[in-house]
Amino acid sequence: MSETRRLELLPAVDVADGQAVRLVQGEAGSETSYGDPLAAAMAWQNAGAEWIHLVDLDAAFGRGSNRDLLAEVTGKLDVKVELSGGIRDDASLEAALATGCHRVNLGTAALESPDWARSAIARHGDKIAVGLDVRGTTLAGRGWTREGGELFETLARLDADGCARYVVTDVKKDGTLTGPNLQLLRDVCAATDRPVVASGGVSSLDDLRAIAELVPLGVEGAIVGKALYAQAFTLEEALEAVSR
Ligand SMILES: O=C(O)c1ccccc1NCC(=O)[C@H](O)[C@H](O)COP(=O)(O)O
C-alpha cells in the first residue's frame, strides 16, 4: 500500500540589504524588516524546520548581492537550504552550490537563457529547481519586474529539459496573507509529473491543510513567509497541522 507523503514546509528568509525582510507582491520598497537573517533562520531551525527557503532579494532585483551573508547563514544551519535569487550564470550558480545548500532555484535565467538553464539542469540534476513566478499565466522574471513568457509553454520546455522540480508562486498573492492560489497549483500539477513547491499567500493553518490536500496531485512542499513573521501561527503548529 502506498503511503501519502507529508507536505514539507519551507520557512522563508528573504534578505535585502543584509536584513531579513518581507515584501508585498515582491515589490521593491514594500519591505518590512525582521532583523538578522541568521537569527531568523536559526529560529525556524530550532522550531523544527527541515528546510529554509533563503532568498537574495537584492540579487533577484539586480541591485546588489548578499552572497557572502547567505553563504555564512547556509554554512551555520544544519537543515536543508533552498537558495534563490539572482542565480543567472555559471559564477553565481557555482557560488550558490558551493555554500553547501541542498538545492538552488533558477528564476530569470530559466526564462531568458534557456540554453544555459538546460545545461545547468543537465549538469546538476535535482540540485536545480526552477521558480515559476506568475501573474495569471504570465511568468515574471528580474525580481518579478519583467514578463517572461507563458507558464505552460515554459513548463513543457523545462520538463523536456529534465527539470526536477518547480517552485510555483502567484506573485499577486505573495506577502499578502490572502491564501494560496490552489487552482494554479492544481493546474501546474496536471501539466507536469515533477514535484511542485507552493509559494505565496499562506495565511493560516487551514491554508496549509488545503495545500497538503494537493500532495497526492504532486505538491511536495509549501514555502511560508509572512504568516510566520506576522505570528499568524507558529512553525510548530504548522508542522503539526500538516503531519496528519
Ligand atoms: O524567490 C525569489 O527568487 C524571489 C525573487 C523576487 C521576489 C521575491 C522572491 N521570493 C519571495 C519568496 O520566496 C517568498 O518568501 C515566498 O513566496 C513566501 O511568500 P509569503 O508566504 O506570501 O510571504
Side-chain angles (χ1 to χ4, degrees), residues 199-214:
S199 186
V202 169
S203 69
S204 66
L205 296 175
D206 279 346
D207 286 343
L208 289 175
R209 291 186 191 103
I211 296 174
E213 295 281 314
L214 305 182

Side-chain angles (χ1 to χ4, degrees), residues 19-23 31-37 39-40 226 228-231:
Q19 297 292 299
V21 298
R22 304 307 315 153
L23 302 185
E31 289 95 341
T32 307
S33 183
Y34 291 93
D36 176 24
K226 187 77 165 268
L228 287 172
Y229 291 86
Q231 299 178 345

Side-chain angles (χ1 to χ4, degrees), residues 64 93 107 114-115 126 136 157 191 209 231 236:
L93 175 60
D115 292 342
D126 70 0
R157 187 246 301 161
R209 291 186 191 103
Q231 299 178 345
E236 290 91 334

Side-chain angles (χ1 to χ4, degrees), residues 28-107:
S30 67
E31 289 95 341
T32 307
S33 183
Y34 291 93
D36 176 24
L38 178 60
M42 282 292 181
W44 305 138
Q45 174 173 294
N46 293 338
E50 293 169 321
W51 280 95
I52 302 292
H53 175 73
L54 187 57
V55 184
D56 188 339
L57 286 176
D58 293 317
F61 285 111
R63 65 186 182 194
S65 163
N66 300 278
R67 184 184 283 183
D68 293 344
L69 176 60
L70 267 54
E72 184 194 333
V73 171
T74 303
K76 288 188 170 156
L77 291 169
D78 297 323
V79 294
K80 292 177 273 193
V81 173
E82 176 174 85
L83 215 48
S84 191
I87 301 167
R88 294 177 189 164
D89 54 25
D90 283 335
S92 50
L93 175 60
E94 297 309 329
L97 291 170
T99 63
C101 69
H102 199 77
R103 67 177 178 242
V104 303
N105 278 354
L106 306 183

